[in-house]
């Protein structure tokens, strides 16, 4: 089963704090790990992504930490702001026989940043 | 403007109706996708088209029928749906099938 397990299901963080969302995967063939951000009434949008050859990637306040041996990766949002309130999905991709990217998504984390 | 436009935004249909969802991408991408999003479940890939040719079909029931007349348009034809088919249906596109996805805002479908 090519699953990606995401936790927590929901998260409340105070403004200025650090938000941390965790994901674990099973298939060691996965080679691309993106995070998508979805606001209410909108489709998901790519936020940040990482390949397994690096352990960390940072873009502004958003950082992905990747632990290949543990088959885990996490999203850290530093100095969390109310505008970060959204649902976050982790995903992992596996190149199928057709050469298509086939994303396996986590179940999502609803993040709420409170003032 | 997301670059991927889906219509209608909301659709309510009976189990015996026939309706279609439309997706149009303005990004010049070569691949288009249909996803199903249900509460507390992972996004489910339904269909993938690359250069108007279907390259992925994830064991989707035949009551869902995709159509890709050109690289900018994608349709999902619906007939004889079940209440459990109620969900948000998302269209996406990408430059190639291995490139990042760009999603539309979805069609919220309710089957009564």
């Amino acid at each position: 089963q090519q699953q990606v397990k995401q936790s927590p299901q929901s998260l409340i963080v105070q403004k200025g704090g650090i938000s941390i969302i965790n994901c674990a995967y099973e298939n060691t063939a996965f080679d691309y790990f993106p995070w998508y951000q979805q606001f209410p009434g909108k489709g998901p949008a790519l936020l940040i992504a990482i390949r397994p050859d690096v352990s960390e990637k940072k873009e502004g306040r958003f950082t992905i930490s990747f632990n290949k041996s543990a088959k885990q990766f996490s999203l850290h949002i530093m100095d969390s702001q109310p505008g970060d309130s959204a649902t976050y999905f982790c995903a992992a991709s596996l190149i199928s026989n057709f050469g298509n990217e086939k994303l396996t998504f986590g179940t999502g984390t609803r993040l709420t940043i409170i003032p | 403007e997301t670059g991927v436009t889906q219509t209608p935004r909301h659709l309510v249909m009976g189990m015996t109706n026939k309706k279609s969802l439309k997706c149009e991408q303005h990004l010049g991408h070569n691949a288009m996708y249909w996803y199903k999003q249900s509460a507390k479940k992972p996004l489910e890939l339904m269909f993938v088209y690359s250069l108007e040719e279907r390259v992925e079909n994830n064991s989707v029931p035949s009551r869902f029928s995709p159509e890709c007349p050109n690289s900018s348009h994608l349709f999902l034809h619906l007939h004889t749906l079940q209440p459990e088919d109620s969900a948000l249906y998302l269209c996406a596109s990408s430059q190639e099938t291995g490139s990042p996805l760009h999603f539309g805002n979805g069609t919220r479908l309710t089957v009564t």
Side-chain angles (χ1 to χ4, degrees):
Chain A
Q1 183 74 14
Q2 298 174 1
Q3 283 186 332
V4 177
K5 295 181 180 180
Q6 184 172 347
S7 63
Q9 186 174 318
S10 62
L11 180 63
I12 300 174
V13 175
Q14 213 153 22
K15 179 182 175 182
I18 303 174
S19 303
I20 301 174
I21 304 171
N22 300 300
C23 285
Y25 63 97
E26 299 173 353
N27 192 332
T28 55
F30 285 147
D31 62 356
Y32 175 66
F33 302 88
W35 285 88
Y36 282 80
Q37 179 188 53
Q38 184 176 26
F39 293 106
K42 303 291 186 181
L46 179 65
L47 182 64
I48 187 173
I50 196 169
R51 298 274 182 184
D53 52 343
V54 296
S55 60
E56 185 175 283
K57 183 174 181 180
K58 184 176 181 180
E59 290 185 1
R61 296 184 294 108
F62 300 90
T63 300
I64 300 179
S65 295
F66 184 80
N67 186 330
K68 189 173 182 178
S69 60
K71 294 188 286 185
Q72 295 175 345
F73 58 111
S74 59
L75 176 69
H76 296 238
I77 306 174
M78 312 300 286
D79 186 26
S80 300
Q81 299 297 312
D84 298 328
S85 297
T87 299
Y88 292 81
F89 295 92
C90 63
S93 78
L94 173 67
I95 303 299
S96 72
N97 291 335
F98 297 100
N100 296 327
E101 180 181 62
K102 190 172 180 177
L103 286 178
T104 300
F105 284 88
T107 51
T109 296
R110 179 173 289 184
L111 174 65
T112 303
I113 308 301
I114 56 176
Chain B
E1 180 59 50
T2 65
V4 179
T5 303
Q6 290 187 243
T7 54
R9 289 300 308 272
H10 301 273
L11 178 63
V12 179
M13 59 186 290
M15 293 169 61
T16 58
N17 292 159
K18 289 185 180 181
K19 296 286 185 183
S20 295
L21 310 185
K22 179 183 176 182
C23 176
E24 182 175 3
Q25 59 98 358
H26 314 275
L27 301 170
H29 288 169
N30 293 320
M32 297 188 77
Y33 310 74
W34 280 116
Y35 279 88
K36 177 183 179 181
Q37 185 175 29
S38 305
K40 299 183 181 179
K41 293 178 68 176
L43 273 74
E44 300 173 50
L45 178 65
M46 301 175 72
F47 302 103
V48 180
Y49 278 81
S50 177
L51 297 172
E52 304 143 47
E53 186 175 327
R54 190 191 308 180
V55 295
E56 199 83 24
N57 178 352
N58 271 5
S59 302
V60 179
S62 59
R63 57 185 183 268
F64 295 91
S65 175
E67 178 189 1
C68 188
N70 55 63
S71 60
S72 298
H73 293 87
L74 185 65
F75 295 90
L76 187 63
H77 303 299
L78 316 171
H79 67 94
T80 322
L81 294 192
Q82 304 298 312
E84 60 264 29
D85 296 322
S86 298
L88 181 68
Y89 288 84
L90 291 163
C91 173
S93 70
S94 64
Q95 182 61 48
E96 306 295 341
T97 53
S99 305
L101 295 169
H102 294 254
F103 284 91
N105 290 332
T107 294
R108 174 67 62 185
L109 174 67
T110 303
V111 181
T112 60

